[in-house]
Each structure stands twice: as structure tokens, then as C-alpha cells.
Amino acid sequence: MPEAFTTHVLTITTGSSETVTDLTGECADFLRRRAAGRDGLLNIFVPHATAGVAVIETGAGSDDDLLAALHTLLPADDRWQHRHGSPGHGRDHVMPALVPPHATLPVIGGRLALGTWQSVCLVDTNKDNPDREVRLSFLG
């Protein structure tokens, strides 16, 4: 019988620009290997102070719209007290309050139960740190 709780760590390189990276395929691969057709929960966690997890539509402009909205809400300028790194980097440390560093999603029959247009995405506005870890944990 498969383990009731299992974790896998992804290493994602986001580069030197703000990104929304679709992780849905990696989540599905993990569940195929570890969920073994069971129902349960998938937790996605980003152990970084400047990245988050969003469940959004991708490929139709929503990912760019999310980054634009974050620029409007959290401008990359000198207003931030947290000042190390590239200009406006303090906003990157506030961003996870709006796009949290975690999501817990239902798994039915070993498959992620997302809506038709939903994708699981890593949101990274920190241009100074291109390497990210994403922890996938299945409980079922």
C-alpha cells in the first residue's frame, strides 16, 4: 500500500524577470507516481519569502494580468523599507501576503481536481533569486 503522506521537491529556475510558471504538469506527474488512484489533498508550498502559489487560468493573458495587477498594487519603487537587492525589492517581500506561498487542492481518484481553466502556478516577482524550490505533498 502506498504511503499516506509523501513529499517531493521541485527545483524551478525562474530567471531574471518576473514570472508566472505553470506547475500543473509537475503536480499531475507527482500524483500519478504517488497518489496511486487515491483521494486526498495536494499541498503546494514555496519555502521562499518572495514567491507565491496561485490557481489561475494561463495562456490567455491572465498570467500577464496578474503581474500587471501586482505592479499596480505593489510598485517596484523606493517606497519600501526593506531595501536590499534590486530597486523596489521590498515589494517582493510583501507579495506573498497577496499571493500566498501555499495552496491545498483536492485530489480525486489520484488526479488533481481543478476546474476547466485552472492551473497551479508559481508566482515569482523577485528578479534577484532565479532558483526556487516547490514542495509537493500528498496526503491521502
Side-chain angles (χ1 to χ4, degrees):
M1 171 171 234
E3 295 179 45
F5 182 81
T6 185
T7 297
H8 176 70
V9 177
L10 302 172
T11 301
I12 306 292
T13 300
T14 57
S16 60
S17 62
E18 297 176 357
T19 61
V20 176
T21 304
D22 190 340
L23 303 174
T24 310
E26 287 89 342
C27 291
D29 290 344
F30 169 71
L31 291 171
R32 266 192 294 284
R33 291 190 316 272
R34 305 293 177 93
R38 293 175 291 155
D39 294 351
L41 296 171
L42 175 67
N43 181 262
I44 303 102
F45 178 69
V46 182
H48 299 283
T50 59
V53 176
V55 178
I56 63 169
E57 178 182 11
T58 59
S62 297
D63 32 2
D64 291 333
D65 289 343
L66 174 58
L67 293 175
L70 289 171
H71 269 281
T72 299
L73 294 169
L74 305 170
D77 58 23
D78 63 356
R79 74 184 67 200
W80 308 101
Q81 292 183 33
H82 187 106
R83 293 187 186 265
H84 75 82
S86 60
H89 174 64
R91 75 184 283 267
D92 300 329
H93 287 274
V94 175
M95 192 273 301
L98 302 176
V99 180
H102 59 86
T104 301
L105 304 170
V107 175
I108 308 296
R111 296 175 56 123
L112 198 52
L114 292 172
T116 302
W117 303 111
Q118 291 180 315
S119 296
V120 179
C121 298
L122 169 66
V123 180
D124 187 1
T125 60
N126 183 353
K127 300 179 213 176
D128 297 334
N129 185 0
D131 299 312
R132 299 300 188 166
E133 288 185 354
V134 179
R135 292 183 184 147
L136 304 178
S137 299
F138 175 71
L139 176 63

